[in-house]
Amino acid sequence: MSGEFDYPIIDDFQQLYEDGYRCINYEVNANDDQFTVYLKNFEQEKTMVLKCCPKEGMILKNYIDRIS
């Protein structure tokens, strides 16, 4: 899967995924025009938010949908 998903935002997501975080929701936030991914580590009961521009967000959304 590397070539089409060779973006820094994917690397950031993969690192969080390796740290135990899972995507619980994603959306385009109309207030700041950012793609927002909400992540949760269920073992540690911690949450994280990952933001990027909508263009990168669609790439990240496709990646998340493929691994889900």
Side-chain angles (χ1 to χ4, degrees):
M1 265 198 269
S2 74
E4 68 182 296
F5 294 113
D6 191 21
Y7 293 89
I9 193 68
I10 300 296
D11 295 337
D12 294 344
F13 179 84
Q14 286 174 334
Q15 183 60 52
L16 289 168
Y17 195 88
E18 289 174 11
D19 290 343
Y21 286 89
R22 299 298 180 258
C23 176
I24 55 174
N25 194 23
Y26 50 73
E27 66 182 3
V28 174
N29 187 329
N31 293 334
D32 61 5
D33 194 35
Q34 293 284 299
F35 185 84
T36 305
V37 179
Y38 301 94
L39 303 133
K40 182 170 184 173
N41 182 314
F42 290 94
E43 291 180 15
Q44 299 176 358
E45 291 298 320
K46 293 183 180 180
T47 58
M48 295 279 295
V49 175
L50 186 62
K51 291 187 173 203
C52 62
C53 70
K55 181 180 176 185
E56 288 181 333
M58 290 302 105
I59 294 164
L60 182 55
K61 177 189 174 301
N62 289 338
Y63 179 78
I64 292 169
D65 290 345
R66 280 199 182 177
I67 65 171
S68 296

